[in-house]
Amino acid sequence: MTRFTSVILLIYTLLASSCGGSREQKNAYQGEQNGLSGHIQLSGAFALYPMAVRWAEEFRKINPDVKIDISGGGAGKGMTDVLSGVVDAGMVSREVHEQETAKGAFAIAVVKDAVVMTVNADNPEIATIRKKGLTRATAARLWGGEITTWSEALGGAESRIPVHVFTRSDACGAGETFAAWFGMKQENLKATAVFGDPGVAAAVQKDRVGIGYNNIAYAYDQKSKLPFAGLAVAPIDVNENGVIDPEEDFYDTSEALVNAISENRYPSPPARDLYLVTKGKPEKAELIAFLNFILTEGQKFVAETGYIGLANDKLNSEKERLN
């Protein structure tokens, strides 16, 4: 065999090996043998809804014969639906409870998100809110029903400007995660209850002295990366020194907030992992393919949709559990 022929054979072998690895990864979420088809149904957390919709759109570009239906309703609905067999996977924006695991809940972490406090952009105290922020202890008193005016919330001069506090009426990961930040449970939050993430945002937009909590995707417009019209995000005074320091000031855009969460400058909770939950380890081919897509190619759409990608070691561990 000539030296030239040996080199050609070596190059061919390396290319074949490289292409084989790429094809194997692609087969994880593409039905290349017989064509992937079927129907996937998801329901649950409003927090994960926009990201799930984007993943579905991109996945169907590769697998157009797979139909994917997605509906909101809250993390509680998603968990109930999947455990009762109504849907293939529930979107859950909180940790899975032991009793849910005992019933077969199999959770795959897919992305990170956070809950933020939202206020009306025309709040009479908006300048002070942005300057001083709100502490965890203040949030506990607000949603504990102990604070009735903005002067109490901000520790300023006596004022009769009331504060109207909103919470979620549906069982949801946002409410549970937000309440966990200051040692409470969602059912203990004392506030005007409104259904769904969009409902809380709309209530605050209509009320100049209102305050609520929302997932990032419902606080910020993901095209402009700015808070939605009529909304402002109340900063957290993490070190509780009475002022928002430069390292705590990252709420002007969703990009700045996402970077702060990635750097652990935003507390967790209310930052948290989001999950797709199945009843038992998934067996449906199209669902397994969709989950593999989310944990691989799907991660490149995370940042532009306003979420935080999982660390590589976390992605690898989730893929191992799935496959």
Side-chain angles (χ1 to χ4, degrees):
M1 182 183 293
T2 67
R3 184 171 180 273
F4 176 77
T5 305
S6 298
V7 171
I8 293 298
L9 285 173
L10 176 60
I11 292 173
Y12 176 83
T13 301
L14 290 172
L15 286 173
S17 174
S18 173
C19 291
S22 177
R23 187 176 296 113
E24 181 180 351
Q25 183 181 30
K26 190 179 292 184
N27 279 336
Y29 54 85
Q30 278 187 263
E32 289 188 341
Q33 294 179 351
N34 299 312
L36 191 65
S37 62
H39 188 193
I40 300 170
Q41 291 178 294
L42 310 178
S43 75
F46 287 101
L48 192 49
Y49 181 86
M51 188 73 255
V53 168
R54 180 62 189 279
W55 279 329
E57 291 171 348
E58 297 299 330
F59 181 76
R60 292 196 71 252
K61 290 178 182 178
I62 306 168
N63 299 287
D65 293 329
V66 177
K67 181 181 179 182
I68 304 178
D69 292 330
I70 306 172
S71 62
K77 183 179 187 302
M79 185 63 77
T80 299
D81 285 352
V82 73
L83 292 181
S84 61
V86 174
V87 298
D88 298 299
M91 301 181 290
V92 177
S93 52
R94 56 165 173 78
E95 296 302 314
V96 176
H97 301 151
E98 288 184 10
Q99 59 267 34
E100 294 165 341
T101 302
K103 293 178 181 178
F106 181 84
I108 295 290
V110 291
V111 75
K112 284 181 69 72
D113 188 24
V115 183
V116 295
M117 291 181 286
T118 46
V119 297
N120 189 286
D122 294 324
N123 187 297
E125 299 284 358
I126 191 65
T128 306
I129 292 169
R130 286 178 168 144
K131 179 180 179 181
K132 301 183 70 171
L134 298 170
T135 64
R136 179 171 58 180
T138 299
R141 294 180 64 212
L142 276 165
W143 275 270
E146 299 175 27
I147 291 178
T148 59
T149 67
W150 274 104
S151 64
E152 293 176 89
L154 298 168
E158 188 61 33
S159 168
R160 294 185 179 181
I161 299 174
V163 57
H164 297 160
V165 187
F166 295 95
T167 187
R168 293 273 292 273
S169 63
D170 51 309
C172 65
E176 186 170 324
T177 301
F178 183 66
W181 174 44
F182 43 80
M184 294 176 68
K185 294 183 178 180
Q186 182 185 352
E187 56 265 33
N188 301 132
L189 301 181
K190 298 177 182 178
T192 301
V194 182
F195 180 80
D197 236 330
V200 172
V204 173
Q205 286 171 317
K206 295 174 184 176
D207 191 332
R208 289 186 68 215
V209 296
I211 183 169
Y213 55 83
N214 286 98
N215 295 296
I216 294 174
Y218 295 88
Y220 293 88
D221 181 333
Q222 291 314 305
K223 290 184 178 179
S224 68
K225 309 299 182 185
L226 300 173
F228 282 110
L231 285 182
V233 177
I236 296 177
D237 180 11
V238 177
N239 60 16
E240 301 187 358
N241 67 347
V243 65
I244 295 300
D245 299 312
E247 62 271 19
E248 299 172 318
D249 189 9
F250 43 71
Y251 298 89
D252 288 345
T253 68
S254 58
E255 287 178 324
L257 174 59
V258 164
N259 287 337
I261 295 169
S262 300
E263 297 168 359
N264 296 316
R265 288 186 286 135
Y266 189 83
S268 179
R272 72 310 174 60
D273 288 345
L274 304 181
Y275 300 89
L276 283 175
V277 178
T278 59
K279 187 174 183 179
K281 193 172 180 180
E283 299 178 354
K284 201 171 175 179
E286 58 269 36
L287 178 59
I288 295 171
F290 185 46
L291 290 169
N292 273 304
F293 169 80
I294 288 170
L295 295 172
T296 52
E297 287 295 299
Q299 291 294 304
K300 71 183 182 183
F301 306 107
V302 167
E304 64 190 64
T305 315
Y307 293 78
I308 303 94
L310 298 178
N312 285 332
D313 57 347
K314 182 75 170 181
L315 287 170
N316 290 332
S317 68
E318 295 303 273
K319 283 184 280 188
E320 287 177 10
R321 292 178 59 243
L322 176 64
N323 298 306

